[in-house]
Every structure is written in structure tokens, then in C-alpha cells.
């Protein structure tokens, strides 16, 4: 209990769990949130590695703890980890499957679960993560999804005409 406030988007959470956990320090939302409006004051973001959440976090200069659940998320998360702006932790069953691909399939003894408090502590106390996320934010300052979409659409139209 480090005294941090948490905002959790939990679609499908039961009324019972919502009432049990929703508090001043743990704000639970069943509805999607406008991340752009919420992220500015965050110390870190914990997510599964969806491109919208990762991009919004990096553009705001916020480091991430990413818990990917799909191979595409794993692949993009590795890039953010290489950038130095995130840590990744995979659920044990996904890690086993990823490790097993291309191997002889022998079972390994179960590994202990990730030390999430240690991962969170690293992101909050080691300045390199925030610095790298901040470098990303500075490099892409002024990025606009709308402008990017218009540019892509124009390029596709140009290619179709040629």
C-alpha cells in the first residue's frame, strides 16, 4: 500500500465487485474513458498493450507496465521495452506457449508469478523509464491522429490513381 490512486477501466465488472472495490483511491469505471483527458496526471499506465493506450501514454510521456495477452501486443510491447519506456510481464500460460513454440514441448517446472510490486516500484522510482517516455513525447510533439489519417488516405488515393 504505497498510497497511490488508481483509475481502472473494468468492462463487465459485476455490481458486487464494483461496489466492493470502488473507492476514493481505486476509482472503477465500467464505461470507456477518454484516455487523452485522463492520462496527463498519471505516474504510469498498466495495460495489455493495445496500440491506442500505448500511443496515448507515450505521447503524454508516461511509462508503462504492459501485460500483453495476444501475440501482436507482445511484438509491439517488445519495441516499447527496447525504447526504455516500459516493462513487460506476460501471464505464465502465454509465456509457456511463446517459449514452447519451436521447442520439443517438454514441460518445465512452474515459475513463480511475477513480482508486480517490484515492477511497479521500478517504474515509479527509476527515472530512466519516464525520461525515455518523455523523449518519445518530445520527438512526436504535435502528432495528430486526424492529420495522420488524412495523410494516409491521400497516399492510398494517390496510389490507386497511378
Amino acid at each position: 500500500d504505497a498510497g497511490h490512486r488508481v483509475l481502472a477501466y473494468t468492462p463487465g465488472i459485476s455490481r458486487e465487485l464494483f461496489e466492493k472495490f470502488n473507492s476514493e483511491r481505486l476509482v472503477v469505471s465500467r464505461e470507456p474513458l477518454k484516455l487523452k483527458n485522463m492520462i496527463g496526471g498519471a505516474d504510469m499506465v498498466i495495460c495489455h498493450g493495445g496500440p491506442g493506450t500505448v500511443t496515448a501514454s507515450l505521447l503524454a510521456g508516461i511509462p508503462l507496465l504492459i501485460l500483453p495477452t495476444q501475440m501482436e501486443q507482445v511484438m509491439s510491447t517488445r519495441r516499447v521495452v527496447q525504447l526504455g519506456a516500459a516493462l513487460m510481464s506476460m501471464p505464465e500460460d502465454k509465456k509457456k506457449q511463446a517459449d514452447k513454440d519451436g521447442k520439443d514441448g517438454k514441460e518445465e517446472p512452474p515459475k513463480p508469478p511475477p513480482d508486480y510490486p517490484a515492477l511497479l516500484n521500478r517504474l515509479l522510482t527509476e527515472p530512466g523509464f519516464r525520461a525515455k517516455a518523455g523523449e518519445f513525447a518530445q520527438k512526436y510533439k504535435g502528432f495528430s491522429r486526424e492529420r495522420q489519417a488524412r495523410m494516409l488516405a491521400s497516399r492510398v488515393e494517390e496510389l490507386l490513381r497511378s
Side-chain angles (χ1 to χ4, degrees), residues 47-56 64 66 73 76-77:
C47 65
H48 288 298
T53 304
V54 171
T55 302
L64 301 106
I66 307 176
Q73 294 169 339
S76 61
T77 297

Side-chain angles (χ1 to χ4, degrees), residues 42-98:
D43 292 320
M44 82 170 72
V45 169
I46 303 169
C47 65
H48 288 298
T53 304
V54 171
T55 302
S57 301
L58 291 174
L59 288 173
I62 309 296
L64 301 106
L65 174 58
I66 307 176
L67 316 168
T69 59
Q70 302 171 16
M71 188 51 69
E72 293 82 2
Q73 294 169 339
V74 171
M75 293 166 55
S76 61
T77 297
R78 286 180 178 155
R79 298 294 295 153
V80 181
V81 169
Q82 287 174 350
L83 177 70
L87 292 173
M88 174 172 64
S89 180
M90 291 176 56
E92 190 58 35
D93 61 333
K94 298 288 183 186
K95 189 183 294 183
K96 279 183 185 175
Q97 184 60 47

Side-chain angles (χ1 to χ4, degrees), residues 134-154:
E135 288 173 17
F136 182 97
Q138 189 60 39
K139 181 176 180 177
Y140 295 101
K141 187 177 181 178
F143 173 80
S144 163
R145 284 186 358 198
E146 293 79 14
R147 185 174 60 241
Q148 184 72 23
R150 281 194 308 272
M151 289 171 46
L152 287 170
S154 293

Side-chain angles (χ1 to χ4, degrees), residues 148-161:
Q148 184 72 23
R150 281 194 308 272
M151 289 171 46
L152 287 170
S154 293
R155 181 66 178 138
V156 168
E157 288 174 352
E158 182 183 309
L159 290 170
L160 290 172
R161 283 192 297 267

